[in-house]
Amino acid sequence: MKKILLLSDTHSHIDDTILKYVNQADEVWHAGDIGDLIVTDTIKKLKPLRAVYGNIDDTQARLEFPLHNRFFCEGVDVWITHIGGYPGKYNPALKTEMASNPPKLFICGHSHILKVIFDKKNNLLHMNPGAAGKSGFHQVRTMLRFVIDGDAIKNLEIIEIDKKV
């Protein structure tokens, strides 16, 4: 069993509230737009991290993290990318792979809009944790946490941090 904290779009922002939730997780997954690598360096000192780079990330981040990160966590096939779209509107570059070899859990960021949708066509769970940083149009900073137990994804929680200042 693994407790996962999922965040995205930190845009160089890390604070004690985010770190409180990092400390409660077994692993942290970041779906891109990290910004300053102090964000991921801080997280890696506390917990194992899986991440991808996003469209605002610089060469240093792109050298450290991949565009796509596909892996198994327990019995769950996970695919994380930054600009992935959502069911019915996936990024065109991903459509063929999604149709022929869909993961069980597809994660992306980019939109700053928290979404959790079951994709019936591809038989997968889509997650976008919204944005944990302060940059962007979103009014509430959000993250997701959940448990992966064998091949089950369960105990999903939305974390609303605070309104942006």
Side-chain angles (χ1 to χ4, degrees):
M1 182 174 83
K2 296 252 186 202
K3 293 181 271 181
I4 308 299
L5 177 67
L6 175 60
L7 63 152
S8 186
D9 296 276
T10 49
H11 292 264
S12 303
H13 181 78
I14 187 102
D15 60 25
D16 289 341
T17 303
I18 294 171
L19 293 175
K20 174 181 93 172
Y21 290 101
V22 167
N23 281 314
Q24 294 171 7
D26 295 322
E27 290 186 11
V28 178
W29 299 351
H30 196 302
D33 277 4
I34 297 159
D36 192 316
L37 289 183
I38 190 128
V39 171
T40 50
D41 291 345
T42 301
I43 292 168
K44 286 190 295 189
K45 287 177 186 170
L46 301 170
K47 298 293 175 163
L49 172 72
R50 298 179 191 261
V52 296
Y53 71 79
N55 57 294
I56 68 135
D57 291 317
D58 64 12
T59 304
Q60 189 178 1
R62 291 168 190 241
L63 289 171
E64 184 166 348
F65 301 107
L67 175 61
H68 302 286
N69 193 348
R70 191 157 184 181
F71 57 92
F72 275 84
C73 180
E74 301 235 339
V76 176
D77 181 1
V78 180
W79 181 355
I80 304 174
T81 194
H82 183 62
I83 303 176
Y86 54 91
K89 301 225 181 215
Y90 289 118
N91 179 334
L94 309 178
K95 281 186 177 180
T96 302
E97 181 75 10
M98 291 295 282
S100 66
N101 186 22
K104 182 169 184 163
L105 176 58
F106 182 69
I107 296 169
C108 63
H110 186 62
S111 70
H112 293 221
I113 300 169
L114 186 146
K115 289 184 183 182
V116 178
I117 304 168
F118 186 75
D119 178 347
K120 292 178 187 173
K121 181 179 177 186
N122 293 304
N123 194 33
L124 63 87
L125 185 61
H126 163 83
M127 289 185 187
N128 183 324
K134 293 188 174 186
S135 297
F137 67 88
H138 59 283
Q139 297 301 304
V140 177
R141 298 166 50 216
T142 57
M143 301 182 292
L144 292 171
R145 70 177 170 181
F146 53 95
V147 170
I148 295 184
D149 189 1
D151 64 355
I153 303 162
K154 58 187 189 181
N155 301 336
L156 176 65
E157 295 177 80
I158 296 170
I159 299 166
E160 292 185 346
I161 301 173
D162 62 3
K163 294 204 180 217
K164 293 189 331 175
V165 186

